[in-house]
Amino acid sequence: MSQLQRDFERWFGDGSGVQQSGASGKRSGGSGGRWLIVVAIVVAVLAVASAGKGIYTEWLWFGTLQFESVYETILSTRVVLFLAAAAVFATLFAGNITVASRLAPKGEATPATQSMIPFLQSLSRPAVVLVTAFFALIFGLAAQANWEIVLRFLNAQPFGTTDPVFFRETGFYVFTLPFLDFLRGWLLTTVIFSLIASATIYFLSYSSQKKPFDNSRPVLIHIGALVMGIAALAAMSYWLGIWELVYSTRGAVFGAGYTDMMAQVPAQWLLFGATLLLGVLVLVALIRRRVRWAAYGVGFWIVLSIVVGQVAPALIQRLQVEPNELQLETPYIEYNIAATRDAFGLTRIDERDYPAVPMPTAQDIADGDLTIRNIRLWDHRPLLDTYNQIQTIRTYYDFLDVDIDRYTINGDYRQVMLSARELAKDKLPSEAQTWVNRTLQYTHGYGVAMSPVNEVRLDGGLPILWLSDLPPTGLIPLERPGIYYGENTTDYVIIGTSTEEFDYPVGTANAWTMYEGTGGVPIGSLFRRAVYAWEFSDFNILISAQLTEDSRILYHRQVAERVGNIAPFLTLDSDPYIVILDGRLVWIVDCYTTSTRYPFSEPYRGGINYIRNSVKAVVDAYDGTVDFYITEPEDPIIRTYTAIFPDLFQPMDAMPEGLRAHIRYPVDIFDVQASVYRMYHMQDARVFYNREDPWAIPREFYAGREQLMEPYYVIMRLPDEEREEFLLMLPFTPVDRNNAIAWLAARCDGDNYGTLVVYRFPKDRLIYGPSQIENRIQQDTAITEQLALWSRGGAQVIRGNLLVIPLADSTLYVEAVFLQADAGGLPELQRVIVAAGDEIAMERTLEQALAAIFGAVVDLPEPPPPPDPDGPPISDDVRALIEQAQSHFDRAQEYLRQGNWAAYGDELAALERTLRDLARLTAE
């Protein structure tokens, strides 16, 4: 007989008088116990195998990227935490059950419980083992999920600053306090579960006794000790709560305030001691069987926690602080301002005055030639539609996003817009949705479309393409246009098979290729094929005859997912952008280190109150290699991660020079900083408290509706600087007013990268803000009549982004106007609106609009002439154009019926040109 069975006999008696039924029950219960063990073993084996499969495939994947050490560090930490936590829990839980089993009364069982004893005896060992194992698994999993908190605590790097009230190093709040809170919570839950298990055993034991059991002192000591442990851990929460006051929301600003320091801190210490004393009191009361002592103690503690911990601070806040809030809270407001500005990088902002001359001169326009040539006319939203209609070439390609960058073209520094042509397998015909096509043949997108931000074809309002078509041709050589890793590559593919891969269409045929990169996990062996067939629930991987010894599987191909899988502790930017580098395509993904634990710093959306753009991740679009470059080496959080993962990051100096020319200040962090700066440009506590000068993000009209302005990239020369540079900027207005008050810019080029500068406008005169310019545009009779005429003609008028362009101590406002057929036609850039001072002009081109205000002061690049159509000359007569369009359409339909795809495409192109001329003629 096992020790646990003997323990159950002691708990419930020897079961005399029911030997026969007990024997029978033992046999049936023993069989049930064995089945429970078998089922548990099977489930455990399957769970371990599934987990092992996932670990193995991830280890292979990290290995192909030379980041095995990263995965090994994360995995080993999680395993150690799981085993340690499971062992600690099992020891405490099972240990308390064993103690309870030995201390439980051993009298004769009551008749009502005698029939249960044999069954409980037979199940005692498997039940206890299974329950302990189950909860140990749960608690182990809960602990290993906190691997990042533990690693950050063990490798914490100092911030070099202290909080202003407790004088603790900032790293204590960011790294140490979360770990202590996790440890306390885990231990508290463990002790509570142990108490519940022990109390259950005692309850069952006492309730089954026929006679009262008097020798209960050891039992009460055991229960009291567990209660004491809970009290100690609960007291620890009050101790940690003292430091948590730096995140208080009670006062005038975020962080500890007057009431917190004068009332809540003493209350926390008092409740800390009271909770410990309550634990001791309960222990003594149980030992001495003075239940009333424990009840009185608990009641007193509840009253004390309410009065001291809640009521007293609330009364002080209401009666003492609120009537004198500015006087009493001023130091804490100053702490909040200083911490918030530091945590969001606002202390780096160089604040300057901007004269804001009412209107630039013609000479200013001429001197700002490079700025004028790079004013962005194309809006990314209509341009995306245009790309998708004129450059997808085939229905199974997609442009998902338009990025903005700068390139040196023929010696000129030019701002461009470009987009990756990615494969959209879901758009393949239904009969082509086969496993071979989706997994082996259609594996990658191809090339990019690129156009300058300010050039447009006058014959149709379409962009002038600097890179276009398949294979890509244009002003920048592109030798590796294949996109195996992109923003739309959410599935896996297999390369190196006996099936050729589709490369790009060529007329009525296709070009084919075989992957020549280094990406992917080799799956030449039967074992690996079986593992990946299980991993992706795809039996074809195991049985397909197309796979060879050289086959490799490419997965985690979506660039943000790929970077996030390697470095899950980094927050990723929402807009990866593509760069042409030495004839290859690479993606740049901006990565942030963030925290919600910076003391006194005002939280932004999601609770983040610290952020740095500390890392640039670069993903090769062809072979999938990933490099992480540190852009903020002084950031304590990235230094901590560098200590944890020494092989993951590279210094910025290791980034290729050609790639450094394309890094840009990311919009996401700029948006955060601009939003916080709206309030925290006020550094005087009194001004801040009274909200005397809050700023707002201006509003603009886009496509007929009002919206907040978005940050935008420009090439321009900052005041007092020698040459133009690539900037990200955003204007500000006062809250509830529409005049401009300042503009914020982030510099992106060279050694100035990351520098923030704000230019403040004079407050003694009106400086038009974006909303006021939008209203003036709507009030201009000539402009509104023309826009209304187009709208009545069946076209959708899209007013693009209003750009505020600082120029020569003044400001220029530029807005493009697009036309798009209501049926979803091509968006075409038809007009450009320019506003300067009190002048507004809308003309066909930017040059003409500037000339209307300033005279002919700058010669922009001449757009290429319209293509010469293959058919007869286009007539100016509308009727003739309609007849010509009908003729092209009829011939296209005939070629479609014949299956002559080349001729069909030519007729559609001719039809498109005719319709453009028709639209132009009717518009004029």
Side-chain angles (χ1 to χ4, degrees):
M1 182 181 293
S2 70
Q3 178 62 45
L4 285 172
Q5 286 174 321
R6 288 194 292 270
D7 290 339
F8 264 99
E9 287 185 359
R10 288 196 295 270
W11 302 342
F12 300 104
D14 59 5
S16 58
V18 290
Q19 288 86 353
Q20 185 173 352
S21 62
S24 174
K26 182 176 181 179
R27 286 193 297 271
S28 62
S31 175
R34 285 193 295 271
W35 275 112
L36 280 175
I37 293 175
V38 170
V39 170
I41 291 174
V42 171
V43 171
V45 168
L46 290 175
V48 170
S50 180
K53 172 261 301 177
I55 291 172
Y56 177 63
T57 54
E58 282 295 274
W59 179 75
L60 291 175
W61 184 81
F62 273 85
T64 62
L65 295 170
Q66 308 299 315
F67 289 137
E68 302 99 321
S69 63
V70 175
Y71 187 59
E72 290 168 0
T73 298
I74 296 175
L75 181 62
S76 61
T77 302
R78 297 178 72 168
V79 170
V80 169
L81 282 175
F82 173 81
L83 294 177
V88 171
F89 177 84
T91 301
L92 291 174
F93 189 77
N96 277 283
I97 289 178
T98 302
V99 169
S101 70
R102 295 182 182 277
L103 297 179
K106 308 169 184 62
E108 183 179 354
T110 65
T113 58
Q114 285 180 346
S115 60
M116 297 171 50
I117 295 173
F119 178 72
L120 292 173
Q121 288 175 345
S122 62
L123 284 183
S124 60
R125 169 177 283 182
V128 171
V129 170
L130 288 178
V131 169
T132 301
F134 173 76
F135 283 117
L137 174 67
I138 298 299
F139 277 70
L141 291 174
Q144 63 84 33
N146 291 274
W147 62 269
E148 187 180 345
I149 290 176
V150 175
L151 284 178
R152 282 159 56 118
F153 167 71
L154 295 175
N155 296 272
Q157 302 295 309
F159 276 71
T161 59
T162 58
D163 79 274
V165 292
F166 299 120
F167 308 106
R168 286 270 191 173
E169 218 282 332
T170 303
F172 168 79
Y173 298 97
V174 176
F175 303 124
T176 304
L177 199 54
F179 171 76
L180 294 176
D181 191 56
F182 150 69
L183 187 64
R184 181 203 63 81
W186 189 90
L187 287 173
L188 178 61
T189 310
T190 298
V191 177
I192 289 174
F193 269 67
S194 299
L195 175 61
I196 293 172
S198 300
T200 300
I201 291 174
Y202 289 133
F203 173 77
L204 292 174
S205 178
Y206 276 97
S207 64
S208 68
Q209 296 303 304
K210 189 173 183 179
K211 296 180 180 180
F213 185 73
D214 295 328
N215 189 20
S216 59
R217 183 182 179 87
V219 172
L220 296 175
I221 292 175
H222 181 208
I223 295 296
L226 290 173
V227 171
M228 183 63 199
I230 292 173
L233 291 167
M236 185 179 178
S237 69
Y238 287 110
W239 177 68
L240 295 177
I242 295 173
W243 321 119
E244 295 281 351
L245 290 175
V246 296
Y247 312 116
S248 172
T249 58
R250 173 186 282 138
V253 291
F254 184 82
Y258 181 87
T259 300
D260 296 310
M261 298 306 299
M262 299 301 144
Q264 196 65 53
V265 169
Q268 294 291 115
W269 282 115
L270 183 59
L271 290 171
F272 169 76
T275 305
L276 289 177
L277 290 175
L278 175 63
V280 174
L281 177 63
V282 171
L283 176 60
V284 172
L286 290 175
I287 293 174
R288 304 193 63 176
R289 302 191 182 189
R290 295 292 189 270
V291 178
R292 268 187 284 180
W293 292 5
Y296 293 154
V298 171
F300 177 75
W301 179 85
I302 292 175
V303 172
L304 186 68
S305 62
I306 293 174
V307 173
V308 175
Q310 299 178 36
V311 175
L315 288 174
I316 292 175
Q317 178 71 22
R318 177 64 187 89
L319 300 178
Q320 182 178 357
V321 176
E322 289 186 12
N324 308 284
E325 191 169 48
L326 178 59
Q327 176 187 354
L328 298 178
E329 295 280 14
T330 291
Y332 306 101
I333 294 174
E334 292 173 346
Y335 300 154
N336 172 267
I337 293 173
T340 302
R341 288 176 58 86
D342 182 61
F344 287 96
L346 305 185
T347 54
R348 307 175 181 184
I349 295 178
D350 182 10
E351 299 183 352
R352 307 176 186 177
D353 292 327
Y354 191 70
V357 176
M359 185 171 176
T361 65
Q363 187 60 46
D364 292 334
I365 300 296
D367 293 342
D369 174 68
L370 185 57
T371 298
I372 299 297
R373 289 172 183 268
N374 284 282
I375 291 177
R376 179 171 61 82
L377 301 181
W378 281 100
D379 185 276
H380 65 93
R381 286 155 291 200
L383 183 62
L384 180 62
D385 291 340
T386 300
Y387 278 175
N388 272 310
Q389 294 195 49
I390 69 174
Q391 276 297 301
T392 50
I393 312 298
R394 291 291 188 269
T395 58
Y396 42 76
Y397 286 121
D398 247 346
F399 293 97
L400 298 183
D401 181 37
V402 174
D403 298 316
I404 300 176
D405 203 351
R406 69 284 197 198
Y407 289 79
T408 300
I409 305 294
N410 297 327
D412 291 332
Y413 194 49
R414 299 299 301 273
Q415 187 178 187
V416 303
M417 306 178 85
L418 70 164
S419 183
R421 185 185 291 104
E422 298 204 49
L423 194 63
K425 298 180 187 178
D426 292 339
K427 294 185 178 181
L428 288 169
S430 57
E431 59 271 14
Q433 297 285 343
T434 65
W435 183 83
V436 169
N437 277 348
R438 293 185 62 89
T439 309
L440 309 183
Q441 188 162 282
Y442 288 89
T443 56
H444 58 281
Y446 206 82
V448 299
M450 175 190 286
S451 57
V453 297
N454 68 328
E455 295 185 20
V456 58
R457 288 188 178 275
L458 297 182
D459 61 308
L462 297 179
I464 294 174
L465 297 173
W466 283 356
L467 265 177
S468 62
D469 300 334
L470 292 172
T473 57
L475 300 182
I476 300 177
L478 190 54
E479 299 165 3
R480 273 287 185 215
I483 302 175
Y484 286 82
Y485 301 86
E487 293 184 274
N488 196 38
T489 47
T490 56
D491 58 354
Y492 63 90
V493 297
I494 300 175
I495 52 87
T497 68
S498 58
T499 299
E500 285 188 309
E501 301 169 52
F502 167 76
D503 206 21
Y504 59 89
V506 182
T508 58
N510 293 323
W512 302 91
T513 189
M514 295 296 287
Y515 182 70
E516 297 176 354
T518 59
V521 177
I523 55 170
S525 69
L526 183 62
F527 174 73
R528 287 196 180 182
R529 290 171 62 176
V531 169
Y532 276 98
W534 186 10
E535 173 70 12
F536 292 111
S537 302
D538 189 346
F539 192 56
N540 289 316
I541 297 176
L542 179 62
I543 64 174
S544 175
Q546 303 297 311
L547 273 62
T548 69
E549 293 181 354
D550 299 322
S551 295
R552 282 173 282 162
I553 186 167
L554 280 58
Y555 58 104
H556 295 322
R557 298 193 301 137
Q558 204 266 350
V559 290
E561 177 201 5
R562 192 172 186 82
V563 172
N565 201 53
I566 297 170
F569 41 84
L570 297 176
T571 302
L572 305 187
D573 191 84
S574 61
D575 183 28
Y577 62 100
I578 199 161
V579 172
I580 302 172
L581 177 66
D582 299 329
R584 299 177 68 91
L585 294 173
V586 298
W587 296 91
I588 295 181
V589 184
D590 285 285
C591 306
Y592 308 107
T593 51
T594 61
S595 177
T596 60
R597 308 290 299 177
Y598 199 93
F600 280 94
S601 175
E602 190 76 26
Y604 187 65
R605 288 193 295 263
I608 291 173
N609 67 355
Y610 175 92
I611 187 170
R612 292 289 186 273
N613 176 213
S614 295
V615 176
K616 304 279 187 183
V618 179
V619 182
D620 191 288
Y622 189 76
D623 62 29
T625 54
V626 184
D627 295 295
F628 293 86
Y629 298 99
I630 295 178
T631 58
E632 292 264 7
E634 300 304 315
D635 172 30
I637 296 181
I638 201 60
R639 287 192 286 112
T640 297
Y641 285 130
T642 302
I644 298 171
F645 306 107
D647 300 327
L648 179 59
F649 301 103
Q650 303 178 55
M652 198 62 182
D653 292 341
M655 178 181 284
E657 190 65 29
L659 189 58
R660 294 189 67 179
H662 292 280
I663 63 173
R664 64 186 196 184
Y665 202 83
V667 171
D668 282 3
I669 189 173
F670 185 82
D671 204 21
V672 171
Q673 291 174 314
S675 295
V676 176
Y677 190 70
R678 293 184 301 111
M679 286 296 300
Y680 284 87
H681 71 90
M682 298 180 286
Q683 299 183 52
D684 181 86
R686 180 181 295 273
V687 173
F688 185 93
Y689 176 81
N690 292 325
R691 303 296 194 265
E692 294 180 14
D693 189 24
W695 293 353
I697 306 296
R699 304 190 72 84
E700 63 172 353
F701 285 93
Y702 175 80
R705 66 179 184 275
E706 193 176 35
Q707 64 179 27
L708 288 175
M709 284 193 73
E710 300 172 350
Y712 51 92
Y713 291 100
V714 296
I715 288 180
M716 59 167 283
R717 184 189 306 162
L718 288 173
D720 302 324
E721 297 294 335
E722 295 181 357
R723 62 179 187 177
E724 285 79 3
E725 57 187 291
F726 192 60
L727 305 169
L728 177 64
M729 66 169 294
L730 183 69
F732 293 108
T733 64
V735 168
D736 297 328
R737 293 167 58 193
N738 294 325
N739 60 287
I741 193 68
W743 53 275
L744 175 67
R747 307 175 74 173
C748 301
D749 288 349
D751 294 337
N752 291 321
Y753 174 82
T755 302
L756 297 174
V757 57
V758 67
Y759 288 90
R760 296 174 178 264
F761 293 163
K763 295 183 179 181
D764 57 355
R765 66 178 187 273
L766 172 66
I767 310 296
Y768 287 124
S771 295
Q772 293 170 322
I773 296 296
E774 294 278 25
N775 292 333
R776 290 180 56 204
I777 291 173
Q778 291 181 330
Q779 294 166 4
D780 187 282
T781 305
I783 293 176
T784 55
E785 287 181 353
Q786 181 63 71
L787 299 183
L789 180 62
W790 281 329
S791 297
R792 289 194 297 270
Q796 179 186 3
V797 178
I798 302 174
R799 289 169 56 183
N801 289 128
L802 177 67
L803 301 185
V804 182
I805 309 295
L807 184 71
D809 294 338
S810 186
T811 306
L812 202 64
Y813 301 88
V814 179
E815 181 175 280
V817 178
F818 302 87
L819 291 186
Q820 184 175 20
D822 286 336
L826 279 169
E828 298 178 351
L829 199 163
Q830 290 294 337
R831 294 291 186 272
V832 178
I833 301 173
V834 173
D838 294 326
E839 302 292 328
I840 294 181
M842 182 176 77
E843 299 294 340
R844 186 68 184 84
T845 66
L846 175 61
E847 182 181 22
Q848 292 170 356
L850 290 171
I853 298 176
F854 301 101
V857 294
V858 59
D859 293 325
L860 297 180
E862 288 292 334
D868 185 22
D870 296 330
I874 295 177
S875 170
D876 288 335
D877 183 73
V878 173
R879 186 181 300 276
L881 286 174
I882 293 174
E883 293 173 356
Q884 193 175 61
Q886 184 65 51
S887 176
H888 285 308
F889 177 80
D890 292 339
R891 284 198 295 268
Q893 293 299 307
E894 181 61 26
Y895 287 133
L896 178 62
R897 285 191 292 271
Q898 296 174 6
N900 189 341
W901 299 105
Y904 173 70
D906 292 339
E907 288 300 324
L908 285 185
L911 173 62
E912 182 181 0
R913 290 193 295 270
T914 303
L915 292 176
R916 287 181 196 162
D917 271 348
L918 183 61
R920 175 180 57 80
L921 191 60
T922 55
E924 295 175 351

